[in-house]
Amino acid sequence: MTVTTDTPEYCLGLAGRMDAQGSMTPNARVLWERGRTMCEHGHVRGGLARLRRAMLVMRGAAE
């Protein structure tokens, strides 16, 4: 079980894991970039929301 928290470390870690996965659709890339930037500037909740939406977009493109 993974426990997620709204911390800057988790936010940036999620962005890093997503980046390591490789190619993203253009829509997912935009959400990922905005989410990562928000995390870097301390807007963790907004950043996580965009990163999670980017993950959903990536999953939808894979199906």
Side-chain angles (χ1 to χ4, degrees):
M1 175 163 69
T2 302
V3 177
T4 60
T5 59
D6 294 345
T7 64
E9 294 80 18
Y10 175 74
C11 195
L12 292 170
L14 179 60
R17 286 192 304 277
M18 289 176 65
D19 188 35
Q21 289 182 4
S23 64
M24 293 183 210
T25 64
N27 290 338
R29 170 81 44 199
V30 168
L31 286 166
W32 174 79
E33 288 174 352
R34 289 180 182 165
R36 186 196 62 202
T37 300
M38 290 182 79
C39 292
E40 289 171 348
H41 289 95
H43 303 284
V44 176
R45 288 184 184 208
L48 284 171
R50 281 158 186 81
L51 291 171
R52 289 176 179 146
R53 269 190 250 146
M55 288 175 62
L56 291 174
V57 168
M58 288 170 49
R59 285 184 184 149
E63 295 176 358

